[in-house]
Amino acid sequence: MSVHIFPAPDDLATATAAYIGGVINDAGRPVTLGLAGGGTPAATYQVLASLPVHWGRVTAWLGDERWVPHDHADSNTRMARQTLIDRVLCNFVAPDTAFGDPHEAATDYARALQNVFYGGRPDVVLLGIGDDGHTASLFPETDALASTDEAYLANWVAEKRSWRLTASVPLLWSARELIFLAQGPGKAEVLAEIIDNDKQYPAQQVAAGASQVRWMLDAAAAAKLRSIPH
Ligand code: 6PG
């Protein structure tokens, strides 16, 4: 595990975009890129879209999606398309949220992803983290956390009173690299509890089983860290 801290959100976005672009350009083969949803990654995607990257070898996918139409303001597909995909025109496999049943949509998406993962494993996956320690749509005390044999799941999130589609813990563990991206003082407490104290949050559970983990933080998010693992 490595922790990388940057002065301000713009520096974080620039550094994260440069790192992802380098992973893609150094791969020398088709690469899959798992995209995080929410608000934080948009700035990184906008920088990434401006870099000289071999997009022809990239297939992007989503680590999680809200159960809304793709043109909905809350849609991660919409955010990813607006900030990155429609600018770089790489392959993009998004979950179909027009299904009547989120479980069917999750199973269908898992099947589609298995056809694109190199060697059956995701390459690099970008993840966000909530102040409650969730990552992707693996929220505390939700059923999806217990799944051991599915790659992608429909997860009822009571606090949001909505379904989410999410990569499972085992799928994220199988990735060649996970990048956790977090910024702002609102994430400082949970990051210190996870990185310094290994507190059992979903993001900690995912990080603990992964083969390579990189934390990309701005100074505000890292403000409460005691130790900085390298
Ligand atoms: C989502 C996410 C989620 C997100 C965190 C952090 O669909 O919301 O994938 O896991 O990464 O909630 O969100 P912010 O970046 O908006 O703080």
Side-chain angles (χ1 to χ4, degrees):
M1 171 170 84
S2 62
V3 180
H4 306 264
I5 300 167
F6 303 91
D10 286 354
D11 307 303
L12 175 63
T14 300
T16 305
Y19 180 77
I20 293 170
V23 168
I24 293 168
N25 289 341
D26 294 348
R29 61 163 171 80
V31 184
T32 58
L33 172 60
L35 299 176
T40 300
T44 294
Y45 299 156
Q46 284 165 342
V47 174
L48 187 55
S50 69
L51 298 181
V53 171
H54 294 298
W55 291 111
R57 67 174 62 153
V58 176
T59 296
W61 59 284
L62 285 172
D64 72 318
E65 181 55 290
R66 290 83 179 275
W67 189 240
V68 294
H70 285 170
D71 58 359
H72 190 282
D74 291 346
S75 168
N76 286 336
T77 297
R78 178 175 180 268
M79 181 273 289
R81 282 200 177 282
Q82 286 180 342
T83 57
L84 179 64
I85 305 298
D86 291 352
R87 294 172 60 191
V88 303
L89 303 179
C90 68
N91 294 325
F92 181 41
V93 180
D96 183 348
T97 53
F99 267 83
D101 178 342
H103 297 282
E104 277 182 38
T107 302
D108 193 65
Y109 192 48
R111 196 176 301 122
L113 291 176
Q114 281 311 319
N115 292 331
V116 299
F117 288 151
Y118 185 81
R121 296 173 61 190
D123 287 306
V124 57
V125 184
L126 188 65
L127 292 168
I129 185 169
D131 59 10
D132 62 353
H134 79 263
T135 191
S137 283
L138 298 164
F139 285 79
E141 296 166 31
T142 58
D143 292 347
L145 282 170
S147 172
T148 56
D149 56 2
E150 290 161 297
Y152 222 91
L153 299 150
N155 194 26
W156 175 254
V157 184
E159 69 187 62
K160 306 266 185 193
R161 288 194 295 281
S162 70
W163 285 102
R164 291 286 190 97
L165 302 183
T166 185
S168 67
V169 174
L171 178 65
L172 295 174
W173 281 349
S174 73
R176 292 180 173 86
E177 181 173 14
L178 300 182
I179 302 172
F180 284 93
L181 176 70
Q183 72 184 40
K187 308 292 173 75
E189 187 67 36
V190 71
L191 286 167
E193 288 181 323
I194 290 173
I195 294 172
D196 287 340
N197 306 327
D198 263 347
K199 186 164 180 185
Q200 302 292 307
Y201 287 111
Q204 185 278 339
Q205 180 182 347
V206 167
S211 48
Q212 189 177 342
V213 177
R214 174 179 282 257
W215 296 87
M216 299 289 276
L217 312 175
D218 73 349
K224 295 185 176 179
L225 289 184
R226 284 194 321 276
S227 63
I228 306 291
H230 289 285

